[in-house]
Amino acid sequence: MDLPPTLLATTTFVLHRVGAGSRRALGARLADETGLSLWEFAVLAALADFGPAAQRETGDRLGLDPSDMVRHMDRLMDQGLAERDRDPADRRRYRISLTPAGRDVLDRALDLVERVERETLAPLTDAERRRLHELVTKVLTGRPGRKSRAQQPHGK
């Protein structure tokens, strides 16, 4: 690929191209090796990180349209990776939660994500990868990034 220097000098263009390529690579590998889509992976991660929650709350957290969230949840429940039950705090509401099988698939997916990121970001040193993560997280959230699993003790 021989991109024009003007485009290579445009940070948002470069970020888009890196992001799009990484998303394609990760999406394909997740589907092949875990059976998950990127959004299903995101839903499982949200359930693991935040615990059981109303379906709408989880969808809002991820910026998912409610109809898309229903489709993803139906698929995750059909696979036994998530379940829906009554919220003990409000019996009128349902909440969704991760099943043990969902936790296992999420763990496999997280290992895969780490491998794909290492491959995608191979031109960078470990320190550069950590710094890149900090910077793009800061741009996204307005605050410094969390440590990745690889940076945390014992991968947790």
Side-chain angles (χ1 to χ4, degrees), residues 90-108:
D90 182 350
R91 300 293 297 158
R92 296 169 296 175
R93 281 183 4 153
Y94 284 93
R95 65 181 188 169
I96 54 174
S97 57
L98 196 60
T99 64
R103 179 77 241 183
D104 291 344
V105 169
L106 178 60
D107 286 341
R108 286 186 15 240

Side-chain angles (χ1 to χ4, degrees), residues 34-155:
T34 68
L36 295 174
S37 71
L38 280 168
W39 283 115
E40 291 162 355
F41 165 72
V43 169
L44 293 180
L47 293 174
D49 288 349
F50 297 112
Q55 187 167 303
R56 180 174 289 279
E57 179 184 350
T58 301
D60 288 348
R61 245 185 199 126
L62 297 171
L64 278 170
D65 181 88
S67 62
D68 291 333
M69 184 65 187
V70 167
R71 188 178 77 251
H72 296 308
M73 279 308 305
D74 286 347
R75 193 159 179 284
L76 290 170
M77 288 189 300
D78 287 348
Q79 296 176 58
L81 304 179
E83 60 191 2
R84 185 181 290 130
D85 59 6
R86 292 274 184 197
D87 186 339
D90 182 350
R91 300 293 297 158
R92 296 169 296 175
R93 281 183 4 153
Y94 284 93
R95 65 181 188 169
I96 54 174
S97 57
L98 196 60
T99 64
R103 179 77 241 183
D104 291 344
V105 169
L106 178 60
D107 286 341
R108 286 186 15 240
L110 289 168
D111 290 339
L112 174 64
V113 167
E114 287 179 20
R115 289 194 315 270
V116 171
E117 283 188 356
R118 275 195 310 273
E119 293 165 10
T120 303
L121 302 174
L124 304 178
T125 66
D126 287 343
E128 289 170 331
R129 275 183 274 220
R130 284 190 298 274
R131 185 66 180 142
L132 175 63
H133 180 79
E134 290 170 10
L135 292 171
V136 296
T137 301
K138 187 174 183 178
V139 169
L140 178 66
T141 66
R143 57 186 187 269
R146 289 183 45 197
K147 290 184 176 183
S148 70
R149 274 182 16 137
Q151 295 170 283
Q152 296 173 8
H154 309 293

